[in-house]
Every structure is written in C-alpha cells, then in structure tokens.
Amino acid sequence: MVSLLERRAPGPDVLWRWLRFACGALLLFPYFAAVAAIAAPGFTATLDRDAIGMGETATLSLKFEDCSPQSEPNLPAIPGLQFSGGSTFNQTTWDNGVLNHAVTYSYEVQATHSGDFTIPGMTAVTDQGNFSSQPLRLRVVRGNVPQATGVPDTVFVRIVPTTTVLYVGQTIPVDLQCYFQDNVGNFQMPQFSADGFIVGNIPNHPGESHVRVGNAMYHLFSFRVPVTATRPGKLALGPATWSLTVYDGQRTFFGWAGGSHQGNFTSDSPEITVRPIPTVGAPPDFRGAVGSFSLTQFEAGPTTLNVGDPITLKVRITGRGSFDTVNLPDTEPGWREFKTYPPTAKLDTTDTLQLEGSKYFEQVITPLNAQITQIPPFQFSFFDPSAGRFRTLTHPAIPLNVHPVAATPQPTIIASGAPPADAQQQNQDIVHIKPLPGKVRTNAPPLIEQPLYLALQAFAPLVWICSVLWRRQKDKLASNPRLRRRREVDRLVREGLTDLSQLAAANEVEKFYSTVLRLLQEQLGERLDLPAPAITVAVLEDCKGLEASSLASVRELFDASEQYRYTPEHKARALASLIPKVKTALNALRNMSDDTIAIRRTLVQGVSLLLLATVLSARADAISDPFTQANKSYEEGHYAKAAAGYQSLINQGDVSPAIYFNAGNAWFKANQLGRAIYSYRQAEKLAPRDPDIRANLEIARTQAGTSTASLPGNRWTRWVGRLTLNEWTVAASVSVALFFFVLVARQTSSNFNKSAGGITTALAIVSLWLLGCLGMSIDQQLLEKTSIVIVPEAVVRRGPMDESQSAFTAHDGAELTVLGRDGDWLQVSEASHRIGWLPQKDVAQMP
C-alpha cells in the first residue's frame, strides 16, 4: 500500500501535467465565456412614434437579433396606411459582456386619413426558428400631435373661428394664429383651405404680439381671414399648414450649433356646424343676401319731369355681412311702366375684411307715360343669421309728377343728341370734349423731383469751373485737340507716302493697299471728326465739299483697296503709278471745306428729330384708338363708360390736358362733380392757360356750390399759377445755365469779358427772380395738398374715429385743404377755416 506521505509528494512529471492543464484552461476560458454570453435570438417590431398628424410619416422598424430572416419580411396590408422606402441596417455590439448582432429593416408609414390604426403582429421565418412580433397601434390626427406633458411645442398653428355655428352664405372672420419660439426662421406664408368653405386672401401683414402659453413664451402672428360657408353639414374648418426652418441645438456667437431642418406644421381642424338657409317662410324677393342690414337712403330725382326724361334712383344699404350677395331686387312687376337701365354699385367698407360698411346703388329709370304717379315702394329681403330668420327692408313709394309731351320720345343711348341714361340736367352747358388727345406724355413726377434732371443742372456750373481751370492753363496749351490731330495725321501721311514707295518697289501688294486704305481713313476721319476705323466708302456720301473729280478719285482708291483681294497679282510699276493718285486724293481731302462737317451734323440732327417725331406720333397713335372709343361713348351718351375709358388711359400712365379735360366732362355729365373737378384740376396743372379748362372748372365748382378751392393765396400766387411747375423749372434752369455760360464766355474770350458786365448782372437778376417764382410754384403745387370730396355727403368729424362727433358735412365737389394724416383719416380745412377729420376713401387727393 502506498502511504499517505507518498501521495502528498508527487513527482516532477505530475506537477508539469497539472501546470499545462491550468494554462490551457486559462487560454480557452474567453472562448467558452463568449459562447455562453451570446444573446438569445429574437424578432421585434417598433414604431418611432405612436401618434402623427396628417401628412407626416412614422418609421416602422423590424429588428432581428442574432438570427437572419430567410427573406425580407412581408408587411401586412392595412386600409388607410401606406408603407414605402425600405432600407436595411446591420449592427454588431458588445454590451456588458454580451455580444449582439442585429439586422434592422426600416419602412416609412403614412396615413391617407385620420383615425386609430393597428399594425398586427408579424411572423418571420429565420435560421433560428419562427418568431412573432407584438401588434402596434398608431394614431393619426388632423392638426398638431399633442406633446407630452411639460414639453412645449416649438411651433404650432391654431384656427380660431368667431363662431362654430353658421348658415350657408354667411361670412365670418377666422383668426389663423401661428405661434413660434426664437429658434425658427425663413417664414413662409401659411396655407389655409377647407372643403365646403371659401377662404379669403391671407393678409401679408399679420398682427404681431408676445404671449405666454403654459410656462413658455411665444411670438404670435395672427392672420384674420374671411371664410364663407358654401354647403350645410358638420364640416372641418382646415387644416392650415405653415412651413418654416427650425434651428437645432444651442445658439452660439456663430449661429445655431445643431444645424437646421425644414418643418411643416399643421393646425387642428375645428368642427363647424353649417345650417342651410330655411326655405319655409322665405320672402319672394329673397336673392341670397345674408347678414344684418338697414336701409339708410332711398331717394329719386327729379320728381317733376316729362315723359321719357331720366330719373336717378339712389339706394344705400348699410350693415354687416356678405356684401357680394347684396343686390337690388328685380324690377318686375311693379316697374313695367318704366324703362330701367342696369344699376351701378359702389362698396364702401370700414374694415379690411369688407364685412362692415355700405353699398350704394344708382339706377336710371324713365317713365313711359303720363299716367305714372309714383315710383313703386322699395323692398329688400335678407336672412339675418344672428336672429335665424328673414327680415325685409321697405320704403314707401315716391310721388311723381309726369307731364305728357306732344310726341313721347323713346330715350335711346345710340342717338348722338339724346339725353343719356347717366346724365343730369345741367343749369349751364360746358365746353365740349376735345376731338384729339393732343401731346401725350407719361405720367411722371415733375422735373424738380427727377434725380436725372437735377443732376443735369450741375452741367453749367461744371462747365464754368472747367473754363476757369482752362483759363488758368491756357498758356500751357500749345493747340487744341483738333489741331493736334491734324498735325498727327499730317505726320502719318508723310510717313505713309514714303512707305508706299518702298512697298511698291518691293512689290508688297497687301501691305501697299493696306497703307493706302489707312491713309485715306486717317485723313478723311480727321476732316469729318470721326474715328479712323469707322471710315468706309459709304462715308463719301457726306463729303459734299469735294469736287466731283476728287470724289471719284478717292472712291477709285477705296475700290482698288478692296479689289486687290480678287486680283492679287500686281507689278511694282502698277503700284508705283497709284502713288501720285494717292497724293492728289489726300491733298483734296486735306483742303476739303469744314462745311462738310456742319452739313453732316445737320443731317444727323435732322434724322434724330425725325426719329423723335416718329416715336411721339407712334405714342399718340397707340392711344388714339381707346381715346376715340371713349369719345364715341361720350357722344352716344354713355358718360360713365366714357369716363371709365379716359380713366383707363390715365391709369396706364398716358396723360395729356385733353384726356383729363374729356374725363372731367364725362364725370360732370354723369353727375360726379367731385371727380369732374379733380379731372379739371389735373388738366389745369398740365395746361393752366387753356380757357376751356378754366371755363368748365368754374362751371363744375358753381354746380357743386363752391366758387373756389380752399387754398390760401393772393394775386401774386395766382399769377405764378399761370405757368406749370415744369415750365417754371425749365425757365429757371435755362436762365441759370445762360448765366453760367456767359461766365464761361468771359473766361474764354478776353474781348467778351470787357463788354459782358451788364449782361451778367441782368442774367443774375432774372435768374434770382425765376428761382423765387419756382419756389412759390413748388410750395403751391407740391407742399400744399388739397383733396376733393367724391361722395354725395362726407361727414367731417372732430377726431379720426367713427365715434367722434360731427364737425360739419362736405358735399360732392367740395375742395378741402389737407392739414395732416392719421392712418386712413385726413385732417382737412374748408374755405371758412373749419377743421375736422374724414376718411380718406371719401376724397380724391391732388398729387
């Protein structure tokens, strides 16, 4: 038996075997540990978000861990969801001693409508077996997706209607509110549309403010938009979308540290209940007007007249609502005894959405027989959405006194002498329209306000300054530029003739003829004061100072210089024979009279004037057709149409005294005295000495009940007003220019300097006097602003608010002095020095 002592003392080989076993186990330990630490295989499906807005996308990820699918996963078909943009991503990681290898398939998910969707669990076949995922839920909403509590939105958009219940045809204001924080930029205009509604234009300039939402501060852009319902039902108003750039990260001195991305933000869509207009109990004359209105004017005149004479019916409806649906009721059957013409309408609103204000109608009617005793009663029906019922505005009949005539004339519009439909009975006839437009020009600012013209005024002083410098340097100048060129050309001719002899002896044909052509160009260019390269044989037509023989010789040399290219073989003797002809031609050109230059300049000026006349005539021809058409409408009695024709020319920038004069006549005949006075005054600014303009302006002022404008002035200012501002400008400019040119002449001519003292003094006095008149004209026509009332009655108030008390009333055609402005209100003064405020829309301002 082996003792215990022997077992405890093994031999050296046994110790060596145990040592090798321990080292091997130590080396293999990481391998076995890694095999044991490999994660278990699996398959999962996830969404990066569980809620998105319409138009946004979510990302679906299918992740296979430590297994490989046999094929790309098949996505389920879900109504309302669309999958697109598949991509694959492989990843291997070591996490806390665990080795992970994953393959991820990513898809974009987009919804075609809002609602709650379920993506069912999917089964995948892999090399490690079959695996199934859990079902996923996705919520799709209209508008902004609600954020988690305590996490504020960077940007969000809201639609805030003034009411959630309205009627078909009703227009309401809707506030489109855009909230944003500081880390945004590159704003775009929001887009707003809704099925079942007509959305008006979004204003370019929103209201801006700072508001607190929750615990965060926001900038707020508020856009007020008119919205009109077009069909009944429970409708979603919106959504509205807003596109802008969102900056990521923190803001540093050099910008945003995290870059930026483009964001599209969608608003919610509040539900609006749109009710239909009731059909039960609707008045027979109801034509779709929706709102709250009142009848503030119903009058006609004249009420005593003959059969066939025109009556102007004036109607004004005031209130709040959709004025597009406000129209005069049909004229049947109570109007069968009248001949009626289409009414004209004018909308005056007091808000930017055009929901509050008044609509003014004018209609011309003519009685057809003497048995008519009254204008029928007026009736206008509308639906009041605030009360939910129909209302009718009425006015009693207006009595008429119609006298019979021997032969009842039927009023016609196409007869040249018949009373027109839109004419009024005038107490005094006006001067007839002008048949031709006259000198037409572009409606440009006066010369005194044009930078180019002002810059030209520095020309004469600069010339005088240059003359002073020239005077000081005169002794240093040996000759003038023209004489220097003549001497230079003489030198070139001498050297060129020497070169010709050498070139002819060497039979250098090309260089010979090139030198001949160059000498002719230099000599002829010097005499005609033209650049030498610009001289061709065509210029010989301007050489009227040459004799016929010399002209023929020069032409022959030009032709020879051109023809050598076709017959290049020339002998030296033939070339030498041309040298005397060249000398003779050059001498003839050198001795050519300077009258040729004057003749040429005269021809150039004549052609320029002819072209200018052609342009002006073309401009006149371009507007003659619409001007003639407007004149034809005036002669036929269509005064409002004629006025619109003249006004279209003015709006295009084509103006002349005749156009403004004829427009004034048309407005006068159409009983628009304010617009007539405005047109006459515009014509008077262009032609202040025209007696026809002054006569008709006086008649229009008398008709309006005013004898003169409220402009301050005296006899001297009225005398200055007999010339236009441009005429005073040109007169003063010419006088000042002559003064400086006389100073220039005194510097350049010693003889003139001795005798021009009196002329200089006279021009200085005249220039100062004309400059004083120019200053008064500028003060009168540019600094003192006037306006003419263009509505039947303008209420002038004590302050620039509709709630202010009335100061006085200004009638159509009243001329007022403008003292100041506050927004859309003007502070004005009349001739009796009463001061008040009135809306700018009630007047036409003189420029």
Side-chain angles (χ1 to χ4, degrees):
M1 295 181 63
V2 179
S3 64
L4 294 177
L5 181 60
E6 293 177 337
R7 296 183 61 183
R8 292 179 180 177
D13 55 343
V14 174
L15 294 175
W16 177 246
R17 287 196 300 268
W18 277 102
L19 181 61
R20 284 188 299 174
F21 175 79
C23 292
L26 183 64
L27 293 175
L28 293 176
F29 176 78
Y31 171 77
F32 290 109
V35 171
I38 294 178
F43 165 57
T44 57
T46 59
L47 285 169
D48 65 336
R49 291 183 291 172
D50 58 1
I52 60 174
M54 282 295 299
E56 299 179 352
T57 59
T59 300
L60 172 65
S61 299
L62 306 181
K63 187 175 183 179
F64 296 87
E65 294 182 294
D66 294 299
C67 61
S68 299
Q70 295 183 357
S71 61
E72 186 173 343
N74 294 323
L75 299 177
I78 303 174
L81 291 184
Q82 297 177 348
F83 299 92
S84 61
S87 61
T88 307
F89 178 69
N90 291 277
Q91 184 180 22
T92 301
T93 60
W94 180 274
D95 186 13
N96 294 327
V98 179
L99 182 67
N100 293 288
H101 176 73
V103 179
T104 304
Y105 295 87
S106 298
Y107 304 89
E108 291 184 352
V109 184
Q110 190 171 18
T112 59
H113 60 82
S114 60
D116 293 329
F117 299 89
T118 299
I119 301 176
M122 292 172 280
T123 301
V125 180
T126 71
D127 57 353
Q128 299 294 328
N130 298 339
F131 298 96
S132 299
S133 66
Q134 295 295 324
L136 304 174
R137 296 186 180 277
L138 177 65
R139 182 185 178 191
V140 181
V141 299
R142 289 185 178 272
N144 294 326
V145 178
Q147 297 289 326
T149 303
V151 180
D153 293 341
T154 299
V155 180
F156 62 93
V157 184
R158 291 176 178 173
I159 296 177
V160 182
T162 54
T163 180
T164 58
V165 179
L166 65 156
Y167 289 86
V168 173
Q170 182 181 356
T171 302
I172 61 171
V174 173
D175 289 326
L176 181 59
Q177 298 177 347
C178 301
Y179 296 80
F180 62 94
Q181 294 181 339
D182 292 332
N183 60 328
V184 298
N186 192 21
F187 301 101
Q188 306 293 324
M189 286 294 294
Q191 304 298 318
F192 182 21
S193 62
D195 186 22
F197 297 92
I198 297 176
V199 180
N201 295 328
I202 299 177
N204 293 327
H205 302 287
E208 300 182 29
S209 60
H210 293 80
V211 297
R212 178 179 294 275
V213 180
N215 295 324
M217 288 298 300
Y218 287 86
H219 303 274
L220 171 61
F221 285 168
S222 182
F223 303 85
R224 174 150 285 198
V225 185
V227 174
T228 305
T230 59
R231 60 182 175 87
K234 292 184 178 297
L235 308 178
L237 181 59
T241 58
W242 195 26
S243 177
L244 68 168
T245 301
V246 180
Y247 300 101
D248 304 320
Q250 297 294 324
R251 188 168 191 172
T252 66
F253 177 79
F254 301 99
W256 293 92
S260 63
H261 67 276
Q262 191 70 19
N264 295 315
F265 299 90
T266 307
S267 73
D268 54 347
S269 299
E271 186 178 84
I272 304 296
T273 301
V274 182
R275 298 173 179 174
I277 300 293
T279 56
V280 178
D285 62 326
F286 175 68
R287 295 295 180 267
V290 179
S292 178
F293 305 104
S294 61
L295 182 64
T296 57
Q297 182 181 8
F298 183 79
E299 58 185 36
T303 56
T304 301
L305 69 164
N306 295 327
V307 173
D309 288 346
I311 303 173
T312 301
L313 184 64
K314 301 178 181 180
V315 181
R316 185 181 296 272
I317 297 175
T318 305
R320 176 182 176 85
S322 178
F323 280 96
D324 292 339
T325 60
V326 176
N327 296 292
L328 290 182
D330 294 339
T331 56
E332 295 292 339
W335 297 81
R336 292 177 180 174
E337 301 300 320
F338 293 87
K339 181 176 179 60
T340 60
Y341 296 91
T344 61
K346 178 183 177 182
L347 179 62
D348 295 323
T349 58
T350 58
D351 65 329
T352 57
L353 301 185
Q354 297 186 343
L355 296 180
E356 294 185 3
S358 64
K359 198 167 187 179
Y360 175 75
F361 300 90
E362 278 195 8
Q363 185 176 23
V364 175
I365 58 176
T366 56
L368 299 180
N369 57 70
Q371 286 72 39
I372 298 176
T373 59
Q374 64 180 14
I375 294 177
F378 177 79
Q379 183 170 302
F380 173 76
S381 297
F382 62 92
F383 181 78
D384 188 349
S386 60
R389 62 188 183 90
F390 293 96
R391 296 182 183 273
T392 301
L393 306 177
T394 60
H395 191 280
I398 299 178
L400 288 180
N401 186 11
V402 182
H403 300 292
V405 294
T408 302
Q410 295 297 324
T412 177
I413 298 179
I414 61 174
S416 60
D422 52 357
Q424 66 168 357
Q425 299 294 326
Q426 308 293 343
N427 297 328
Q428 184 178 3
D429 200 7
I430 57 177
V431 180
H432 200 59
I433 60 174
K434 298 182 183 295
L436 299 176
K439 183 180 180 181
V440 181
R441 68 176 188 181
T442 303
N443 191 8
L447 294 175
I448 198 66
E449 292 183 345
Q450 297 184 18
L452 178 59
Y453 184 83
L454 294 176
L456 289 176
Q457 304 313 302
F459 176 74
L462 288 176
V463 172
W464 172 67
I465 294 173
C466 292
S467 68
V468 173
L469 298 176
W470 176 86
R471 183 73 178 183
R472 295 178 180 179
Q473 301 295 328
K474 182 178 180 182
D475 295 338
K476 298 180 181 180
L477 296 177
S479 61
N480 56 39
R482 184 74 181 275
L483 183 57
R484 286 200 302 270
R485 183 178 182 185
R486 177 174 295 181
R487 292 176 178 177
E488 180 66 18
V489 170
D490 289 343
R491 184 185 62 81
L492 292 175
V493 169
R494 289 193 303 269
E495 295 176 356
L497 291 176
T498 303
D499 293 338
L500 286 180
S501 299
Q502 298 175 358
L503 294 173
N507 201 22
E508 295 284 343
V509 179
E510 181 178 357
K511 292 184 179 180
F512 179 89
Y513 281 108
S514 297
T515 303
V516 171
L517 180 60
R518 181 171 60 85
L519 295 177
L520 292 174
Q521 288 178 326
E522 290 289 348
Q523 187 64 70
L524 193 54
E526 184 273 324
R527 300 310 297 152
L528 295 179
D529 197 20
L530 291 174
I535 301 300
T536 63
V537 68
V539 179
L540 296 177
E541 300 296 333
D542 295 336
C543 298
K544 305 301 182 181
L546 280 178
E547 296 180 357
S549 58
S550 300
L551 183 61
S553 177
V554 174
R555 188 184 300 276
E556 180 183 354
L557 290 174
F558 268 97
D559 294 337
S561 299
E562 293 291 331
Q563 292 176 1
Y564 85 91
R565 301 172 183 171
Y566 306 100
T567 57
E569 297 79 16
H570 289 75
K571 295 182 178 180
R573 183 179 300 176
L575 296 178
S577 64
L578 285 178
I579 294 177
K581 295 183 179 180
V582 174
K583 293 181 179 179
T584 303
L586 292 174
N587 288 331
L589 292 175
R590 187 182 299 110
N591 298 325
M592 183 176 63
S593 173
D594 288 340
D595 293 341
T596 302
I597 302 174
I599 294 173
R600 179 179 174 275
R601 290 176 178 172
T602 303
L603 290 175
V604 172
Q605 293 173 357
V607 172
S608 302
L609 291 176
L610 180 60
L611 291 175
L612 180 60
T614 302
V615 171
L616 292 177
S617 63
R619 180 112 179 130
D621 291 341
I623 70 147
S624 60
D625 183 58
F627 182 82
T628 303
Q629 291 296 328
N631 279 4
K632 182 179 179 181
S633 298
Y634 183 92
E635 297 291 358
E636 292 176 347
H638 295 282
Y639 298 126
K641 181 179 178 181
Y646 299 127
Q647 193 62 43
S648 66
L649 288 174
I650 296 171
N651 294 338
Q652 295 172 7
D654 299 320
V655 297
S656 71
I659 295 176
Y660 276 121
F661 177 80
N662 288 10
N665 279 14
W667 288 121
F668 183 83
K669 290 290 188 178
N671 200 22
Q672 299 282 336
L673 295 179
R675 299 184 186 276
I677 293 174
Y678 175 82
S679 299
Y680 287 142
R681 287 192 56 181
Q682 290 284 66
E684 187 183 35
K685 288 181 64 175
L686 299 179
R689 297 175 300 280
D690 190 318
D692 295 342
I693 297 174
R694 297 171 62 187
N696 283 8
L697 177 58
E698 186 65 26
I699 294 174
R701 283 172 169 167
T702 303
Q703 189 79 9
T706 60
S707 59
T708 183
S710 60
L711 284 174
N714 48 38
R715 180 180 301 177
W716 177 248
T717 57
R718 288 192 294 270
W719 183 87
V720 171
R722 295 185 66 84
L723 291 182
T724 66
L725 178 58
N726 284 349
E727 289 173 343
W728 283 118
T729 303
V730 172
S733 300
V734 171
S735 177
V736 172
L738 288 176
F739 171 75
F740 279 104
F741 286 144
V742 168
L743 294 180
V744 171
R746 296 183 65 177
Q747 291 290 333
T748 57
S749 175
S750 57
N751 295 330
F752 185 77
N753 187 28
K754 298 177 182 179
S755 60
I759 298 177
T760 306
T761 303
L763 284 176
I765 296 174
V766 172
S767 298
L768 292 175
W769 179 75
L770 289 175
L771 287 173
C773 294
L774 174 61
M776 295 183 64
S777 182
I778 292 174
D779 181 71
Q780 182 176 351
Q781 299 192 35
L782 295 183
L783 302 181
E784 293 177 347
K785 298 294 185 180
T786 59
S787 59
I788 299 98
V789 177
I790 57 174
V791 296
E793 288 186 353
V795 179
V796 183
R797 302 186 180 276
R798 299 187 183 276
M801 294 182 295
D802 291 327
E803 296 79 10
S804 300
Q805 294 182 354
S806 173
F808 60 92
T809 301
H811 296 276
D812 188 17
E815 298 175 71
L816 308 172
T817 302
V818 179
L819 303 178
R821 177 190 297 272
D822 184 1
D824 295 333
W825 289 78
L826 299 178
Q827 187 182 29
V828 296
S829 171
E830 63 162 357
S832 58
H833 304 293
R834 290 186 296 179
I835 299 176
W837 296 81
L838 83 168
Q840 183 178 349
K841 60 183 177 60
D842 291 344
V843 298
Q845 287 188 265
M846 292 295 296

